[in-house]
Each structure stands twice: as structure tokens, then as C-alpha cells.
């Protein structure tokens, strides 16, 4: 007779405990144990750890699986159980972890695999192989419903020419494990409710009036954090306008300019004062001239907000990095085609002309930032990676384990965004100039522009010629984070893929990347996204990009939405007047008539605030609440990863003490593991 000691860990989440009967059966390479009822009297309470003994006639061999089964107490009383993990001490003296992190409902069965990771061709035991295939089939069924029938699908075309999405209309039809936790759900809706109530109380939410002065906006700033106050004080200054191209909400647009675009005929005469005697050509040669081109918005028609037409522009902005390292705008053309009624605005124009030109640029920023850099390049891509992972990688796959923390809440937040932000009645459609029909067009254009290199920070920085630009903290912190993630990914994957042939013959991995290429990047070879992997090096780079996108990149473009957008003139969601056709006509009143009305302003602010808010149930990069590994080396690699992140955090905090406006968004402490808001 031999004894197996079983420890069962009930999760700490809301209602994780159960009074249902839980049965367990151990499956080994040699035999399986009897199904044993785990003592029902004490129940499995939230956060509890309980120990049991399982007696077997002889050793079961190498443990392959643990089967869990739930039945109602006395045939009647049942409630589901959230099991975190099962830990088993074998008669041979081994301790084997079986991660679970799933709900077990009444009359359901769960089969858990050991934490030790394995590739499909390493899982050689026939029982283990069958179990692996069965698990994948079940995963795929979980992500596809037609009516009440489960089918093996999972992807859905959201709009032709954009990445496919999870085939679910409501978070309620998602498997419980990937839904928001109770804490996150209640907190999210309570914040949204409070925002709405506050808006109604102010009586401003439905006001169609223009602001009487910019100062009037001070009264509605409910939270005065440092960056918002900074925006309020400096929003109309060139230095801050230029700073935001590097370290604002969207540090992704600016690029070095070595030749002026033909449709942007800036002359030396126009910029001679700013360049202090130097010429554009000379400064371009020195690498001091930069461009931000919003061509992607060209020809898009503005939305109708509260019954009123709004106006979009597709500006070109020329910037100069001066000898003090300040990035300064030196010319702005608001529409793409040069003409007499499309003047090039200059800092030497009247103050009102120049400010209004910059306001149109900031509104263009709203469109490209929210739709391209935030929605598409972080949220929708993270969803693509999540769906492909859940459909193609079973839990013993090392890549599944590596990516698991980076998928948390992504499916639910994206379903909610599709319903409540970008749907016909959503906030973007209601309050943004880029909403309505133009939104889908912009999303399609943005998808067509997606390339692998723009998603990989080192390549992206070098393509944009920004390697040596001073005071580019997004780049400095981001590159360090990229390297730290890359180090973990390389060391972790090298443990399992010892040769390139291992990569080539991993059929699960090849299906994973094939779905990403086909469903996410629409099979576009020109995107540069691989459709298969031939080498470990290719795989390491791609997985680094996946984790960087879901964590760091999302933090960089998401977390500052209220910081930079809370002061509306710095990030107007919609503009009510067309761009000026000639200089010298703009007045302060014209600016106020162009900016969003009172109602659009406060509603826009409320949405930005909600989307910038951290949940109590969030985990910074490297903090992995689920215990998925029990092998020595992976555990050490995670420890090293956490140490690297702490050191980077210290470095960033030290640097930030020297800055007038600290750059905090890529401090690992402020970066979530996943796209969760
Ligand atoms: Fe977000």
C-alpha cells in the first residue's frame, strides 16, 4: 500500500469556496487511483488549503493527470468551486504541482496536467497525448457558440479589413475564467456609475453651449494630478506641444525628416527666425528636423456630434530639435494638399492662429492615438494573441505558461469596448469627431499600415530615426523594458526548444502563429509578420513583441489618457468648425466656438478618466498571481525577471526626480501584465 498526499488550494476570489462534493482521481503511467470523495464535511472555503491522503495498492508510476469531479451535496446543494492548484506528494518523494485556476461547476469534470512544461512531441505517453488533444478541442469549443450550440470556431470578422475578434457578443458568454473578477467588475461599474452621477449632478452633461473662456474649464477638473496641472499651465506652449510627441500619450508618430514631403512646401524664409540663421537643409543634414504626418486621416469626414457636424484634418507638423534638446514645432499645415486656402501656420503668426493650428493637430492626435495606437495596436492585437493562444496551445505548452498572465481580462475589456465605446451608441461615436463611419475607415487604414517592424520597439525607433533624440524617455525606458522581456523570453524558450528543428516540428506552435498571421494580420505578407517559425531566434523576437505589446506598449498609450486628455484643449475629442483657410482671422471666440461644447467636453473627460483608472485587482509586470511553474530553472528566471524590473524601476524613479514632468508610464510598477482596461 502506498500513500499520496494531496493538498487542494481554493482560490481567494469572490465565492471561490464550495460545499459541493469534490471527487479526485490520480492518473499515472502505470495505473489510476480510485475516485475518492474529498471529505465534504469541512467544505472548501475561499482561500483555504486542505490536505488529504489517497491510498493506492501500488505506485501509479509517473503522474500524468489529476481528474476533479463535482457532485451536489445530498443530491441537491451545489455551488461551483474555484480551485487554484493541487499539490501532490508521491510515495517516491516527489512533489508535483497541478495548476488549475478554473471554476469547477456541478457535474463537471476537470483534468489537470502537471506544471512541468512540455512540447507536443515531448509529451510521449499515449494517455498524456490523448489528454493534450482533448484539452485543445475543449478549449476551442469554449470559444465558439452559435445560439446555444457549442461549435469549434472562435474567430469573428468584426469589420472587413480589420483584425478578427473573439466570437462573443457579451462578456457573460465568455468562460468564467477569462471574465472580470468580482472585484474588477464591481469596481469598474461603480467608477462608471460615479462618473455618470457626477456628470448629471453638474448639469453639464447635456449642455450644448460653448465654454465662455478657457479658464472656465478649471472648475471641472475633479482630480488635480501633477500632469493635468502641468497641461493646464503649459498646453498652449510650443515646448510642451513638442514634448508630447516624445513623451506624451502618443510617442509613436514623430520621425526624423531628411527630405521635406512634396506636399509640405515649407521655405527657409518661413522658419529663419526659429532656426536662427541656419537653413532647413542644414538642420536636416544635422538630423535636427522631424515630421509628424497625419496622412492616415486624409479625406475622412467628421462625425456628427449632438446633431452638429464636426471637422477632421490630416495635418503635417514640422519640428526642430534645438541646441537645448527641446523639440519645437516650426510649421503646421492642416490639410494634406498645399493650396492658397491651406496656409502653413508658423509660430510667428498671431497667437490665436498658431494656437488654433495646434488644437487641430491635437484633435488629429486623438484620432490616430485612440484608433490606431491604442485600440488597434494594443487592444485588438492583444485579443488576437489571446484567442490564438487559447485555441492552439494546451496548458502544458511552455508558451501557454509564458503568455498566460498577459491575457488577463483582455477578452472582456475588448468586448465591452466594442459594445460601449466604438459601437453606434458608444462613447466614441457620441463624442468624438473621428467616430461614426470614419472610425471603421480609419481602423481599416490603420490595419493596412500594420507592420511587424513598427511593433518591435528597437526596429521602430531605428526606422523613425530616433536613436539619438535627447529626452525621449518613452524610448529610453521602453528599450530597457524590451531588453528585460527579451532576456526572460530567450532564456525560458531556450529551455524547451534546444534546436531550430524543435521549433519547426512544434505543430501547436505553428498553428498558433498561422492563426495570428491569418486572422489577426489578415494573411498580409507585406506586414512582415511571420506565418510560420523556422528558428528559435524568430520565435523569441515574436514572443517578446507579444508580451511587450500587451504590457509596456499598452501602458505607454493608455495610462496617461486622463493626465494628458483631462485638460480638454490639449486633447479635444471633436472640433466644431472647419480649419481656417487664411491667416489673421482667428479670435479667442473662434477658438472657443471650435473646441468641443460643454457637454461633449465633460462626457469625454469622464470616459478618459474611467479608461485611465487602475483596478485594485491588477498585477504589475512580473507579478504573476498564478503559480504555473514548479521547475527550478523557470522559477529562477522569473525571479531574475522581477529583479531586473525592480532595478529598472529604481533607475526610472531616480531619473524622474530630476525632471520637471516625470515620465512614469513605463516604470514597471505602473505597467500591467495585460491589456485589462
Ligand atoms: Fe486601454
Amino acid at each position: 500500500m502506498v500513500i499520496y498526499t494531496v493538498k487542494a488550494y481554493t482560490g481567494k476570489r469572490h465565492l471561490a469556496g464550495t460545499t459541493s462534493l469534490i471527487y479526485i482521481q490520480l492518473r499515472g503511467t502505470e495505473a489510476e487511483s480510485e475516485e475518492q470523495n474529498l471529505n465534504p464535511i469541512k467544505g472548501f472555503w475561499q482561500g483555504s488549503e486542505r490536505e488529504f491522503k489517497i491510498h493506492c495498492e501500488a505506485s501509479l508510476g509517473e503522474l500524468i493527470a489529476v481528474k476533479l469531479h463535482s457532485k451536489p451535496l445530498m443530491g441537491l446543494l451545489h455551488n461551483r468551486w474555484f480551485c487554484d492548484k493541487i499539490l501532490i506528494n508521491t510515495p517516491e518523494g516527489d512533489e508535483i504541482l497541478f495548476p488549475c485556476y478554473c471554476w469547477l461547476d456541478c457535474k463537471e469534470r476537470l483534468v489537470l496536467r502537471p506544471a512541468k512544461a512540455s512540447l507536443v512531441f515531448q509529451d510521449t505517453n499515449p494517455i498524456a497525448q490523448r489528454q493534450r488533444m482533448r484539452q485543445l478541442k475543449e478549449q476551442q469549443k469554449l470559444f465558439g457558440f452559435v445560439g446555444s450550440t457549442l461549435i469549434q470556431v472562435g474567430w469573428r470578422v468584426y469589420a472587413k479589413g480589420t483584425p478578427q475578434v473573439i466570437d462573443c457578443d457579451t462578456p457573460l458568454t465568455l468562460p468564467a475564467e477569462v471574465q472580470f473578477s468580482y472585484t474588477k467588475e464591481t469596481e469598474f461599474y461603480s467608477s462608471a456609475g460615479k462618473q455618470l452621477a457626477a456628470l448629471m449632478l453638474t448639469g453639464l452633461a447635456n449642455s450644448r453651449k460653448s465654454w465662455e473662456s478657457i479658464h472656465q474649464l478649471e472648475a471641472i477638473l475633479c482630480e488635480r494630478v501633477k500632469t493635468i496641472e502641468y497641461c493646464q499651465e503649459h498646453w498652449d506652449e510650443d515646448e510642451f506641444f513638442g514634448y508630447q510627441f516624445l513623451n506624451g500619450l502618443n510617442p509613436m508618430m514623430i520621425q526624423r525628416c531628411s527630405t521635406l514631403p512634396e506636399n509640405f512646401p515649407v521655405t527657409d524664409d518661413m522658419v529663419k527666425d526659429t532656426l536662427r540663421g541656419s537653413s532647413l537643409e542644414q538642420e536636416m543634414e544635422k538630423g535636427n528636423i522631424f515630421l509628424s504626418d497625419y496622412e492616415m486621416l486624409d479625406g475622412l469626414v467628421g462625425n456628427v456630434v449632438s446633431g452638429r457636424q464636426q471637422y477632421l484634418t490630416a495635418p503635417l507638423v514640422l519640428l526642430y530639435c534645438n541646441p537645448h534638446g527641446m523639440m519645437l514645432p516650426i510649421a503646421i499645415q492642416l490639410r494634406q494638399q498645399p493650396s492658397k486656402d491651406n496656409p502653413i501656420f508658423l509660430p510667428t503668426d498671431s497667437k490665436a492662429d498658431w494656437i488654433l493650428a495646434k488644437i487641430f493637430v491635437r484633435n488629429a492626435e486623438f484620432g490616430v492615438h485612440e484608433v490606431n495606437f491604442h485600440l488597434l495596436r494594443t487592444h485588438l492585437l492583444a485579443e488576437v494573441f489571446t484567442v490564438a493562444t487559447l485555441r492552439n496551445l494546451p496548458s502544458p505548452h511552455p508558451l501557454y505558461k509564458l503568455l498566460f498572465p498577459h491575457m488577463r481580462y483582455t477578452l472582456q475589456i475588448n468586448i465591452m469596448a466594442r459594445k460601449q465605446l466604438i459601437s453606434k451608441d458608444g462613447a466614441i461615436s457620441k463624442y468624438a469627431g473621428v467616430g461614426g463611419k470614419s472610425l471603421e475607415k480609419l481602423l481599416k487604414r490603420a490595419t493596412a499600415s500594420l507592420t511587424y517592424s513598427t511593433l518591435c520597439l528597437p526596429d521602430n525607433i531605428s526606422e523613425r530615426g530616433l536613436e539619438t533624440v535627447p529626452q525621449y524617455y518613452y524610448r529610453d525606458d521602453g528599450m530597457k523594458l524590451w531588453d528585460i522581456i527579451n532576456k526572460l523570453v530567450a532564456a525560458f524558450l531556450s529551455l524547451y526548444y534546444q534546436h531550430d528543428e524543435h521549433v519547426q516540428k512544434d505543430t501547436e506552435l505553428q498553428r498558433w502563429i498561422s492563426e495570428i498571421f491569418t486572422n489577426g494580420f489578415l494573411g498580409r505578407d507585406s506586414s512582415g509578420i511571420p506565418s510560420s517559425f523556422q528558428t528559435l531566434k524568430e520565435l523569441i523576437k515574436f514572443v517578446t513583441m507579444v508580451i511587450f505589446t500587451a504590457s509596456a506598449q499598452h501602458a505607454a498609450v493608455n495610462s496617461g489618457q486622463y493626465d494628458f486628455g483631462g485638460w480638454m484643449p490639449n486633447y479635444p475629442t471633436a472640433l466644431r468648425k472647419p480649419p481656417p483657410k487664411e491667416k489673421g482671422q482667428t479670435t479667442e471666440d473662434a477658438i472657443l466656438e471650435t473646441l468641443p461644447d460643454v457637454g461633449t467636453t465633460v462626457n469625454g473627460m469622464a470616459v478618459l478618466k474611467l479608461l485611465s483608472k487602475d483596478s485594485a485587482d491588477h498585477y504589475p509586470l512580473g507579478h504573476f498571481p498564478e503559480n504555473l511553474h514548479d521547475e527550478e530553472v523557470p522559477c529562477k528566471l522569473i525571479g531574475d525577471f522581477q529583479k531586473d524590473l525592480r532595478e529598472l524601476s529604481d533607475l526610472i524613479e531616480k531619473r524622474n526626480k530630476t525632471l520637471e514632468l516625470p515620465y512614469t508610464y513605463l516604470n514597471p510598477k505602473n505597467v500591467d501584465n495585460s491589456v485589462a482596461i
Side-chain angles (χ1 to χ4, degrees):
M1 182 70 77
V2 296
I3 298 173
Y4 288 83
T5 306
V6 174
K7 286 184 192 143
Y9 294 80
T10 300
K12 289 181 180 151
R13 60 179 63 198
H14 187 62
L15 299 177
T18 187
T19 51
S20 298
L21 303 181
I22 303 294
Y23 291 82
I24 191 167
Q25 188 179 28
L26 312 186
R27 178 85 214 213
T29 47
E30 304 300 321
E32 60 185 11
S33 71
E34 295 290 316
E35 193 175 67
Q36 182 168 323
N37 177 5
L38 300 180
N39 183 356
I41 296 172
K42 289 184 184 169
F44 291 87
W45 306 122
Q46 194 175 331
S48 69
E49 172 193 331
R50 296 196 52 205
E51 189 174 305
F52 310 90
K53 304 283 183 200
I54 293 184
H55 298 261
C56 299
E57 284 186 7
S59 168
L60 304 174
E62 187 188 338
L63 285 185
I64 294 173
V66 166
K67 295 180 189 174
L68 296 172
H69 180 207
S70 168
K71 288 182 186 170
L73 182 65
M74 296 184 290
L76 290 169
L77 293 170
H78 65 85
N79 42 26
R80 57 185 190 159
W81 181 44
F82 191 87
C83 172
D84 272 359
K85 58 189 178 184
I86 302 285
L87 200 59
I88 299 183
N89 286 90
T90 68
E92 291 83 10
D94 296 323
E95 185 171 77
I96 304 175
L97 171 69
F98 290 81
C100 180
Y101 303 100
C102 282
W103 288 100
L104 176 65
D105 216 335
C106 197
K107 296 182 184 170
E108 276 184 354
R109 283 179 189 277
L110 276 177
V111 181
L112 313 182
R113 298 295 316 279
K116 185 176 185 310
S118 59
L119 299 174
V120 59
F121 50 84
Q122 294 162 343
D123 224 355
T124 48
N125 182 283
I127 303 164
Q129 281 178 343
R130 273 202 303 279
Q131 182 47 43
R132 195 170 179 119
M133 283 172 66
R134 197 175 300 140
Q135 190 197 345
L136 267 184
K137 277 189 178 167
E138 280 171 12
Q139 280 290 106
Q140 291 173 358
K141 280 180 191 169
L142 273 176
F143 289 92
F145 283 85
V146 170
S148 58
T149 314
L150 282 170
I151 58 164
Q152 284 189 26
V153 284
W155 294 100
R156 175 188 294 180
V157 175
Y158 168 69
K160 214 172 161 217
T162 67
Q164 292 187 20
V165 299
I166 179 79
D167 191 14
C168 268
D169 285 326
T170 151
L172 295 175
T173 53
L174 283 173
E177 291 76 23
V178 299
Q179 291 181 17
F180 281 2
S181 67
Y182 178 77
T183 310
K184 170 118 180 143
E185 180 107 359
T186 46
E187 211 178 61
F188 186 87
Y189 284 108
S190 133
S191 292
K194 276 184 201 160
Q195 303 271 357
L196 204 64
L199 275 180
M200 293 306 155
L201 283 175
T202 59
L204 300 176
N206 297 317
S207 169
R208 303 278 67 94
K209 287 183 183 166
S210 293
W211 293 96
E212 288 169 14
S213 75
I214 294 289
H215 294 298
Q216 228 187 356
L217 282 156
E218 291 165 18
I220 56 161
L221 276 185
C222 45
E223 202 173 322
R224 290 178 173 273
V225 295
K226 187 176 172 67
T227 310
I228 297 183
E229 290 201 339
Y230 196 93
C231 281
Q232 181 190 335
E233 284 165 26
H234 301 281
W235 71 277
D236 56 351
E237 295 170 10
D238 287 356
E239 194 182 327
F240 183 57
F241 181 83
Y243 167 93
Q244 290 184 81
F245 284 98
L246 297 174
N247 302 307
L249 196 45
N250 177 17
M252 309 306 296
M253 282 292 287
I254 191 168
Q255 54 181 299
R256 195 181 293 271
C257 175
S258 50
T259 317
L260 268 186
E262 277 183 15
N263 60 336
F264 194 19
V266 181
T267 63
D268 278 327
D269 203 37
M270 290 177 183
V271 295
K272 64 182 178 198
D273 288 349
T274 337
L275 299 185
R276 297 178 184 191
S278 187
S279 72
L280 264 178
E281 200 175 318
Q282 281 171 329
E283 292 303 325
M284 280 197 271
E285 260 174 38
K286 285 190 220 164
N288 291 334
I289 300 296
F290 296 84
L291 178 73
S292 190
D293 185 349
Y294 299 83
E295 188 191 2
M296 194 177 278
L297 297 167
D298 190 28
L300 295 184
V301 178
N303 192 15
V304 174
V305 172
S306 304
R308 184 167 169 173
Q309 182 64 49
Q310 309 291 307
Y311 296 88
L312 289 174
T313 57
L316 292 129
V317 183
L318 204 63
L319 299 115
Y320 167 55
C321 185
N322 78 7
H324 306 291
M326 287 174 197
M327 191 64 76
L328 299 170
I330 56 174
I332 294 173
Q333 181 180 291
L334 291 178
R335 287 174 288 132
Q336 289 282 309
Q337 286 313 310
S339 70
K340 265 189 180 174
D341 59 3
N342 183 22
I344 294 178
F345 292 96
L346 305 166
T348 46
D349 293 338
S350 78
K351 192 179 171 193
D353 271 347
W354 184 234
I355 286 180
L356 188 59
K358 288 192 288 182
I359 285 173
F360 272 97
V361 174
R362 295 300 302 160
N363 172 249
E365 266 292 316
F366 179 91
V368 296
H369 167 258
E370 291 296 3
V371 178
N372 185 10
F373 293 104
H374 184 199
L375 174 65
L376 171 66
R377 286 170 182 261
T378 63
H379 277 257
L380 294 183
L381 289 189
E383 182 171 354
V384 166
F385 303 142
T386 300
V387 177
T389 303
L390 293 170
R391 282 175 46 81
N392 295 291
L393 303 180
S395 62
H397 198 287
L399 190 52
Y400 176 91
K401 290 173 182 292
L402 192 59
L403 295 182
F404 185 88
H406 307 291
M407 305 190 287
R408 188 185 183 86
Y409 300 148
T410 301
L411 297 178
Q412 173 151 357
I413 197 70
N414 280 9
I415 291 171
M416 289 166 70
R418 282 192 281 279
K419 281 179 89 78
Q420 289 156 30
L421 282 180
I422 58 173
S423 64
K424 276 184 186 164
D425 307 321
I428 295 273
S429 308
K430 272 177 160 169
Y431 307 119
V434 79
K437 285 183 184 160
S438 288
L439 179 70
E440 198 176 303
K441 277 189 189 163
L442 180 54
L443 195 54
K444 282 181 190 175
R445 288 181 185 181
T447 307
S449 79
L450 259 182
T451 60
Y452 188 26
S453 58
T454 53
L455 298 171
C456 297
L457 187 65
D459 299 341
N460 179 273
I461 293 295
S462 116
E463 276 180 0
R464 290 194 285 142
L466 299 179
E467 297 96 328
T468 55
V469 177
Q471 297 164 41
Y472 191 14
Y473 310 117
Y474 162 78
R475 173 203 58 205
D476 296 346
D477 300 351
M479 290 291 269
K480 291 188 185 92
L481 260 176
W482 176 279
D483 288 344
I484 290 173
I485 294 169
N486 185 253
K487 183 179 147 192
L488 170 74
V489 171
F492 184 83
L493 292 180
S494 303
L495 285 176
Y496 303 95
Y497 297 96
Q498 278 118 23
H499 313 285
D500 289 341
E501 298 86 75
H502 286 174
V503 172
Q504 291 157 18
K505 70 177 189 180
D506 182 348
T507 48
E508 292 166 344
L509 176 75
Q510 297 295 350
R511 275 197 297 271
W512 178 77
I513 187 62
S514 173
E515 280 202 4
I516 289 173
F517 175 72
T518 308
N519 301 74
F521 293 85
L522 311 179
R524 266 192 322 114
D525 285 316
S526 59
S527 67
I529 291 286
S531 56
S532 66
F533 292 121
Q534 302 306 317
T535 65
L536 177 58
K537 195 176 163 196
E538 286 170 4
L539 173 63
I540 290 169
K541 181 174 178 180
F542 192 83
V543 174
T544 302
M545 180 278 286
V546 168
I547 297 178
F548 184 85
T549 298
S551 58
Q553 187 59 22
H554 180 252
V557 299
N558 180 83
S559 310
Q561 286 180 98
Y562 190 64
D563 288 355
F564 289 100
W567 182 252
M568 176 274 281
N570 189 51
Y571 193 57
T573 59
L575 296 176
R576 297 178 293 163
K577 294 269 188 188
K581 290 187 173 173
E582 55 184 315
K583 296 186 183 187
Q585 304 297 310
T586 307
T587 60
E588 195 180 330
D589 281 348
I591 292 176
L592 293 168
E593 283 163 21
T594 303
L595 286 170
D597 61 31
V598 170
T600 307
T601 304
V602 294
N603 280 292
M605 281 171 68
V607 174
L608 292 175
K609 192 162 189 328
L610 185 67
L611 297 182
S612 311
K613 194 172 162 40
D614 267 344
S615 155
D617 180 17
H618 84 117
Y619 292 92
L621 187 59
H623 293 250
F624 304 138
E626 287 89 8
N627 186 1
L628 302 181
H629 308 273
D630 68 350
E631 296 166 273
E632 191 183 337
V633 181
C635 291
K636 183 182 175 306
L637 292 178
I638 289 170
D640 293 347
F641 181 55
Q642 291 166 338
K643 182 168 167 279
D644 288 345
L645 292 170
R646 277 196 302 275
E647 285 172 3
L648 176 58
S649 193
D650 291 345
L651 211 64
I652 291 174
E653 282 169 14
K654 195 172 164 197
R655 188 267 325 273
N656 279 347
K657 281 183 187 156
T658 67
L659 300 182
E660 191 182 356
L661 186 59
Y663 185 74
T664 58
Y665 303 107
L666 290 182
N667 181 340
K669 284 182 186 170
N670 302 329
V671 173
D672 270 16
N673 277 323
S674 63
V675 173
I677 187 70

